[in-house]
Amino acid sequence: MGLVGMYFRRTMGILRKEVLVLPSRVAVLVFIVALMALPIFTQDYYFLRVMILTSIFAIFAASWDLLSGFTGQMNFGHALFFGVASYATALLNLKLGLPPYFSIPLGAVGGVLAGLVVGIPCLRLKGSYLALTTLAFPIILTGIVFAIPDITGGELGLSGLSRLTGSRVLDYYLASGLMLLLGFAMWKITDSKTGIILHAIREDELAVRTAGINTTRYKLLAFCLSGFFAGVAGGLYAHFMRLAGPSGLEVGLSFQVIIWAVFGGMVTIYGPIAGVFILYPLMEVLRVVLDQFPSLPEIRMFIFAGLVLLTLLFMPEGLIPWVRDKIEVECPRCKVRNVLGRQRCRVCDAELD
């Protein structure tokens, strides 16, 4: 009991001193609790399906932010990592009989290899040249998929994969738990020394190189890390849908992930996750509601485009950074964030504007 009491007091101390001092951290805590408690209130099959796919795409969107947001390596073909891992996971499961807890991590290694294949030739490219080159890779792979249907299943893809867990509720906890775990891992990477260097490369690569840092190595590392996390999302998707097909390599999916990330707020990791949790369920709700009006088939995409455009017009840095800046203020001396309305910084006691 003494040990339990010690850990309880320590946890409460962290909550009081580290979490409850900022509204954004409280919001994250509420989000985590709500996500974990959701199946207690509803186990609707379709609703949990939407939330599982939302968690998978949230990992995917955050992985794009890790690469393009923090290093400035604008990747327009991010679906390549997702699709390669989906096919690798499917082949490992169908041909070798590996269960999901082996096939998904090994499939993610396929995403890492895809990151190397894309990263090495693209290291010297910048801006629109880099974006267009990365866009070409999933298109090339789609052609290869159609060229060898005996292995890839052609346009029908590979189907009949093992289920994730066999239970929709367990699928939900697996997907949402991995989303929280991998999202936290990506955030810690960006908050580490490596993340600071990646951010510095984005701001001024020449200055970083002048400081004696091998920027090529760090950019390649960013491609591999991003490929791994996107690969986990692709493997989860393949096992959950029990299918790996050319749709996982579509150009539309690559642009979709950019929209989610930009809408939520780039260079944050949690912004793209929030963007997916807002936009993906919203699109499903609109689809269900507007199915009642078959004479308006395109209005769903019109509403989606209008919402994104209005958000970016008035919140150019994304929705979540805009909200955060409305409720918190940054200390001009130590750069620590404080709740809005506080007179002095909670860390260095500097006066806040």
Side-chain angles (χ1 to χ4, degrees):
M1 289 298 291
L3 191 63
V4 173
M6 183 187 73
Y7 279 112
F8 179 76
R9 287 192 296 273
R10 183 176 297 178
T11 302
M12 293 305 295
I14 293 173
L15 280 174
R16 189 175 64 255
K17 296 178 181 176
E18 301 294 334
V19 177
L20 299 180
V21 292
L22 285 177
S24 58
R25 293 179 184 177
V26 174
V28 172
L29 179 64
V30 170
F31 170 72
I32 293 172
V33 172
L35 203 62
M36 292 295 103
L38 184 63
I40 297 174
F41 300 100
T42 177
Q43 295 186 6
D44 180 80
Y45 203 74
Y46 176 72
F47 184 68
L48 289 184
R49 178 184 187 276
V50 171
M51 296 306 295
I52 290 168
L53 290 174
T54 302
S55 293
I56 292 172
F57 287 131
I59 300 171
F60 186 41
S63 71
W64 183 86
D65 194 32
L66 180 63
L67 173 63
S68 298
F70 279 86
T71 66
Q73 305 293 300
M74 196 56 66
N75 185 2
F76 276 15
H78 203 60
L80 176 75
F81 306 148
F82 190 88
V84 166
S86 296
Y87 273 106
T89 301
L91 289 171
L92 289 167
N93 181 250
L94 294 174
K95 303 296 183 185
L96 301 181
L98 294 182
Y101 47 84
F102 280 131
S103 61
I104 291 174
L106 291 176
V109 174
V112 175
L113 296 177
L116 286 172
V117 170
V118 176
I120 291 174
C122 294
L123 286 174
R124 295 185 179 279
L125 299 177
K126 293 181 179 178
S128 56
Y129 296 102
L130 174 64
L132 292 175
T133 304
T134 54
L135 180 61
F137 280 94
I139 297 174
I140 294 170
L141 186 60
T142 303
I144 295 174
V145 165
F146 287 136
I148 48 174
D150 292 341
I151 299 175
T152 62
E155 62 182 16
L156 297 178
L158 300 169
S159 58
L161 277 73
S162 303
R163 298 181 187 278
L164 270 178
T165 64
S167 162
R168 183 52 55 96
V169 174
L170 290 180
D171 284 350
Y172 171 81
Y173 277 118
L174 178 64
S176 57
L178 272 177
M179 184 275 297
L180 293 173
L181 180 66
L182 297 182
F184 180 72
M186 283 185 266
W187 180 78
K188 287 299 289 182
I189 290 172
T190 60
D191 197 41
S192 66
K193 178 185 173 184
T194 299
I196 294 171
I197 293 174
L198 295 179
H199 201 126
I201 290 173
R202 177 177 182 269
E203 296 298 322
D204 193 340
E205 183 177 349
L206 182 60
V208 177
R209 201 181 302 162
T210 306
I213 296 173
N214 188 336
T215 58
T216 301
R217 184 189 303 168
Y218 278 95
K219 286 196 291 186
L220 204 55
L221 176 65
F223 268 102
C224 293
L225 287 172
S226 181
F228 175 78
F229 291 116
V232 173
L236 280 171
Y237 182 84
H239 272 291
F240 178 66
M241 301 300 290
R242 305 186 70 196
L243 172 71
S247 60
L249 295 164
E250 285 181 350
V251 174
L253 182 60
S254 293
F255 285 113
Q256 187 79 57
V257 73
I258 296 173
I259 292 172
W260 285 328
V262 173
F263 174 84
M266 291 172 58
V267 202
T268 56
I269 296 297
Y270 51 80
I273 292 175
V276 178
F277 269 85
I278 294 170
L279 291 179
Y280 190 80
L282 175 65
M283 289 297 286
E284 287 298 315
V285 170
L286 287 176
R287 189 179 66 79
V288 172
V289 172
L290 295 176
D291 276 350
Q292 311 299 320
F293 306 95
S295 59
L296 300 172
E298 301 298 329
I299 193 71
R300 185 170 72 113
M301 294 308 297
F302 178 78
I303 294 173
F304 174 76
L307 177 64
V308 172
L309 286 174
L310 284 174
T311 302
L312 296 182
L313 182 64
F314 294 102
M315 309 168 197
E317 293 185 356
L319 176 64
I320 301 305
W322 183 84
V323 173
R324 184 192 59 192
D325 290 341
K326 293 295 180 186
I327 57 179
E328 295 175 2
V329 61
E330 187 179 79
C331 173
R333 181 192 291 173
C334 66
K335 305 302 180 186
V336 168
R337 301 195 72 83
N338 295 269
V339 62
L340 189 68
R342 190 181 175 95
Q343 300 299 316
R344 308 193 75 83
C345 176
R346 62 188 171 87
V347 174
C348 67
D349 203 37
E351 187 174 352
L352 301 173
D353 294 332

